[in-house]
Amino acid sequence: MFIGHYAPALIAARSRRAPSLVTMVIAVQLVDIAFFSFALLGIEHFRLVPGATASNWLDLYDMPYTHSLLGSAGFALAFAALVWLAARRLDAALIAAAMVLSHWFVDLLVHRPDLTLAGSPPLLGFGLWNVPLIEKPLELALAFGALAAYAQVVQPTSRRAWFALGAFGGVMALTQSVDWFGPRTTEVSASQPITALFAYALVAALALGLQSTRAIRSRAL
């Protein structure tokens, strides 16, 4: 799952107690940001195998640090500490930690059994990537349902605000389309992690632009 991971960030952003939208957008993808960074450094590894799942060719055979529940919890605590140091607010830090940890539980829905609790078997994953007629609509519903919920609370104050909201949704749709329908290869190279990291950075940049236009309505939590 890619854009589905942004759903918790957009829902949490409805609250005044939450950290900034860009902080949460980074938080929900921090585990994958770490994974692709580790892949570039040769610390964790993946293969591209035709038919690995019905939705993609990712064989995520070595990711004990980022995609174990224990490892994800470690990233969550570290990120929460950074948010607390920056904002000196425990509620914001706890929400940020929950955003990081949400990544593992969302992955649990779609991954074939390749997730772990602490870096070793048992291998976990409900495998919805192998049921694309369920997974694809679910991903779209999560991402764009959450964006619609966010838009209900955020008061666009100008054309720039509407443009920022549309650009965020449009880039989510575009990047997910490339992930689903783009050309496939079995060759693993630095280009795949770099492309993924660029996509995360682009969405984060758009979130920064979107949050700069927002004014929270009175019914926000």
Side-chain angles (χ1 to χ4, degrees):
M1 190 169 283
F2 175 52
I3 63 172
H5 282 296
Y6 293 113
L10 291 163
I11 294 298
R14 291 162 54 94
S15 171
R16 289 190 177 94
R17 294 175 293 178
S20 67
L21 178 63
V22 66
T23 298
M24 292 188 293
V25 161
I26 293 169
V28 294
Q29 294 288 20
L30 184 63
V31 167
D32 273 354
I33 291 169
F35 170 71
F36 285 112
S37 299
F38 284 6
L40 281 173
L41 296 171
I43 298 170
E44 293 187 329
H45 305 86
F46 67 95
R47 292 183 288 246
L48 295 169
V49 178
T53 73
S55 296
N56 61 63
W57 291 5
L58 279 172
D59 179 9
L60 300 165
Y61 69 95
D62 179 38
M63 47 181 189
Y65 306 114
T66 57
H67 282 75
S68 64
L69 181 56
L70 180 61
S72 295
F75 282 106
L77 288 173
F79 196 76
L82 291 175
V83 171
W84 185 85
L85 287 171
R88 299 290 176 172
R89 289 176 45 220
L90 181 59
D91 54 356
L94 291 175
I95 291 171
M99 294 301 100
V100 176
L101 203 55
S102 74
H103 188 102
W104 191 90
F105 289 98
V106 173
D107 273 355
L108 185 65
L109 294 175
V110 298
H111 278 226
R112 66 179 190 171
D114 55 21
L115 303 172
T116 64
L117 295 176
S120 59
L123 300 179
L124 306 171
F126 296 141
L128 284 184
W129 271 341
N130 281 317
V131 194
L133 290 178
I134 295 176
E135 192 278 329
K136 286 181 169 63
L138 176 63
E139 181 139 28
L140 294 174
L142 285 173
F144 290 101
L147 184 61
Y150 176 79
Q152 287 179 347
V153 170
V154 176
Q155 175 65 65
T157 56
S158 63
R159 288 184 181 179
R160 177 171 169 263
W162 283 111
F163 176 80
L165 190 67
F168 188 86
V171 167
M172 282 206 304
L174 176 62
T175 53
Q176 189 62 69
S177 297
V178 170
D179 180 57
W180 281 343
F181 307 116
R184 301 193 186 277
T185 179
T186 58
E187 181 183 354
V188 174
S189 68
S191 65
Q192 290 113 0
I194 290 171
T195 299
L197 292 171
F198 174 78
Y200 299 137
L202 178 59
V203 175
L206 289 169
L208 182 62
L210 179 57
Q211 77 178 30
S212 72
T213 70
R214 76 178 187 175
I216 301 298
R217 295 181 194 263
S218 59
R219 67 172 178 269
L221 299 177

